[in-house]
Amino acid sequence: MPLSAILVLALGTYAFRLAGPALRDRLTLDDRAHRLVAVAAAVLLVGLVATSSLTEDGGFAGWARPAGVLVGGVLALRRVPFPLIVVAAAGTTACLRLLGVG
């Protein structure tokens, strides 16, 4: 990739990051738009979690990874400290893979 393309992409990324704080007080949204933005963020996050936990190289990732994500999600809902969530989710996935669940 040419250096000029890298510089243009870097400047564009910086402009997007700067636009949020710069336009925060100038742009007003009604209550419905605020709710829609919050719902859209949650939907995008769920889609990202589903895609990354269920697929690998264009196919199904196996049952171990979704089980680890499920354990992590349940512990997060119970407000367990984050380091314990990570260890429990990774441990669940590792144990299932060790048992051959995949």
Side-chain angles (χ1 to χ4, degrees):
M1 182 179 279
L3 183 60
S4 59
I6 294 172
L7 290 174
V8 167
L9 290 173
L11 289 173
T13 301
Y14 184 73
F16 272 117
R17 289 180 177 258
L18 186 63
L23 297 176
R24 182 175 180 92
D25 294 332
R26 295 181 184 181
L27 182 66
T28 58
L29 300 174
D30 60 354
D31 290 336
R32 182 172 183 247
H34 275 285
R35 287 192 306 272
L36 287 175
V37 168
V39 169
V43 168
L44 287 173
L45 183 59
V46 168
L48 178 65
V49 168
T51 302
S52 63
S53 65
L54 296 176
T55 62
E56 182 177 329
D57 295 330
F60 182 58
W63 292 105
R65 189 185 300 172
V69 172
L70 180 66
V71 167
V74 168
L75 293 177
L77 287 174
R78 294 183 173 267
R79 303 201 184 271
V80 174
F82 184 70
L84 294 177
I85 294 172
V86 172
V87 169
T92 300
T93 303
C95 288
L96 288 174
R97 287 183 178 167
L98 185 65
L99 293 172
V101 173

